[in-house]
């Protein structure tokens, strides 16, 4: 259910859920947790979903974040303009200004946070070493229901390499946020919300078979969540109205009905994460800003 002004109102409606068991939402409140990694000029918090995980880092000047033998692509998000980074991978080195999304190829890579600041890395859960560190690792001792097995999307045009995309993209009527995808992830750096969200234009909706990560970078959000009723009272879940500050990650499982409401008087900045990429968003003309680099799967 979307307000008519919401670009998502043009999407086909999700089917009525036939799920009979449900997982709860997960919350990584980084601002009130101890970091899972604290070493060499970095403090990193990690929280996961079924198919993706987020590593949020406060880095000191000169900190280097390394991955050795990374099994697949990952996304580096540099949300602040004053945080340039140098990214190296597989013999390629790129100096990247802040306020940029970078896709980092598989293999060995390093990120030099030259002046310090906050950076976010988003991985698939194929990175078992990082999964083991996540604050909510026990929540995924068994696979969550209603999510099919992960399947990566096709390799990028021209092969794997460092690809940097500026987030300095103005809003455009009919386009929803600023969406980028790779073989493993779709990331939507939503248009900034200044002040509280209009409560007459919320967007309660559900997903049949994929989870959503909502990464709060600035401000605070109330995540409203409701699960379907079934014939079995024992699987019913209470509604949640979770107020989460920044930085934090909320993982919304299918088929929970959900909508998020920015709360603060100033900037409320949310980033949505999906793994693998969403086909419905990918089919919308001009929604995925780097679609030319990353083909969609063959649907024949």
């Amino acid at each position: 259910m979307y307000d008519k002004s919401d670009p998502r109102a043009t999407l086909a409606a999700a089917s009525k859920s036939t799920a009979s068991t449900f997982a709860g939402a997960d919350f990584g409140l980084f601002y009130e947790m101890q970091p899972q990694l604290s070493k060499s000029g970095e403090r990193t918090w990690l929280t996961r979903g079924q198919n993706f995980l987020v590593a949020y880092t406060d880095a000191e000047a000169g900190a280097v974040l390394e991955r050795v033998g990374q099994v697949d692509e990952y996304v580096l998000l540099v949300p602040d303009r004053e945080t340039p980074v140098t990214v190296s991978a597989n013999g390629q080195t790129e100096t990247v200004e802040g306020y940029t999304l970078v896709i980092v190829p598989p293999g060995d890579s390093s990120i030099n946070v030259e002046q310090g600041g906050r950076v976010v890395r988003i991985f698939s859960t194929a990175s078992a070493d990082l999964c083991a560190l996540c604050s909510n690792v026990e929540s995924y001792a068994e696979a969550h229901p209603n999510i099919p097995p992960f399947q990566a999307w096709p390799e990028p045009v021209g092969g794997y390499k460092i690809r940097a995309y500026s987030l300095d993209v103005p809003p455009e009527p009919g386009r929803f946020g600023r969406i980028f995808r790779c073989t493993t992830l779709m990331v939507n750096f939503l248009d900034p919300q200044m002040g509280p969200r209009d409560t007459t234009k919320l967007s309660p909706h559900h997903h049949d078979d994929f989870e959503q990560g909502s990464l709060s970078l600035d401000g605070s959000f109330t995540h409203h969540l409701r699960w379907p009723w079934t014939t079995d009272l024992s699987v019913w879940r209470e509604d949640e109205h979770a107020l989460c500050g920044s930085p934090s990650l909320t993982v919304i499982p299918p088929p929970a009905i959900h909508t998020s409401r920015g709360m603060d008087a100033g900037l409320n900045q949310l980033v949505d994460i999906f793994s693998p990429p969403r086909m419905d968003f990918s089919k919308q003309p001009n929604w995925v800003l780097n679609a030319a680099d990353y083909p969609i799967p063959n649907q024949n």
Side-chain angles (χ1 to χ4, degrees):
M1 182 185 302
Y2 300 107
D3 181 80
K4 62 183 181 181
S5 64
D6 191 312
R8 292 171 293 176
T10 62
L11 298 175
S15 62
K16 186 175 181 180
S17 173
T18 59
S20 58
T21 58
F22 310 108
D26 275 306
F27 302 94
L29 306 181
F30 305 149
Y31 54 89
E32 65 178 33
M33 298 162 49
Q34 292 298 312
Q36 281 68 54
L37 285 171
S38 185
K39 61 177 184 177
S40 302
E42 68 163 291
R43 298 196 309 148
T44 297
W45 292 260
L46 297 105
T47 297
R48 65 168 290 183
Q50 176 74 25
N51 289 337
F52 68 89
L53 66 88
V54 168
Y56 177 96
T57 299
D58 280 336
E60 297 177 8
V64 178
L65 310 177
E66 294 184 313
R67 291 296 292 163
V68 177
Q70 173 64 30
V71 296
D72 53 14
E73 286 186 308
Y74 67 94
V75 168
L76 166 67
L77 190 61
V78 189
D80 301 313
R81 297 181 188 276
E82 63 272 17
T83 309
V85 298
T86 298
V87 183
S88 298
N90 303 331
Q92 179 187 4
T93 296
E94 301 289 340
T95 297
V96 177
E97 298 297 322
Y99 207 53
T100 299
L101 181 146
V102 184
I103 297 172
V104 185
D108 297 348
S109 61
S110 66
I111 301 160
N112 186 339
V113 189
E114 299 163 0
Q115 298 177 27
R118 57 179 184 167
V119 296
V120 180
R121 289 166 295 162
I122 308 169
F123 298 87
S124 84
T125 48
S127 296
D129 61 321
L130 298 178
C131 289
L133 297 173
C134 287
S135 60
N136 60 337
V137 61
E138 294 182 358
S139 180
Y140 293 87
E142 296 184 3
H144 281 199
N146 311 317
I147 303 174
F150 172 82
Q151 186 170 356
W153 278 31
E155 293 186 8
V157 175
Y160 292 112
K161 60 183 178 181
I162 298 169
R163 300 171 187 267
Y165 305 97
S166 173
L167 295 171
D168 203 0
V169 180
E172 181 178 303
R175 195 189 71 225
F176 183 53
R178 289 163 283 182
I179 302 174
F180 302 88
R181 70 174 181 240
C182 65
T183 57
T184 54
L185 299 157
M186 174 175 280
V187 176
N188 187 0
F189 199 91
L190 294 165
D191 295 327
Q193 178 191 322
M194 298 302 297
R197 185 174 182 180
D198 184 345
T199 57
T200 69
K201 296 182 178 180
L202 300 181
S203 54
H205 64 283
H206 80 279
H207 310 304
D208 288 330
D209 58 2
F210 59 87
E211 63 190 348
Q212 174 176 320
S214 288
L215 172 66
S216 175
L217 292 175
D218 298 283
S220 64
F221 291 84
T222 296
H223 299 290
H224 301 282
L225 299 148
R226 170 170 289 181
W227 284 260
W229 287 359
T230 74
T231 56
D232 184 355
L233 179 64
S234 69
V235 302
W236 291 13
R237 303 186 68 94
E238 294 288 340
D239 290 356
E240 292 191 45
H241 305 278
L243 177 61
C244 300
S246 296
S248 65
L249 175 70
T250 298
V251 182
I252 302 166
I257 300 168
H258 58 281
T259 189
S260 297
R261 179 162 59 105
M263 304 296 291
D264 284 9
L267 173 62
N268 297 282
Q269 181 64 65
L270 201 64
V271 179
D272 283 345
I273 301 164
F274 306 96
S275 180
R278 287 179 63 161
M279 183 62 75
D280 59 346
F281 280 11
S282 293
K283 287 182 175 180
Q284 297 301 305
N286 304 317
W287 276 28
V288 179
L289 298 174
N290 67 337
D293 293 338
Y294 284 90
I296 65 174
N298 189 331
Q299 298 180 71
N300 293 335

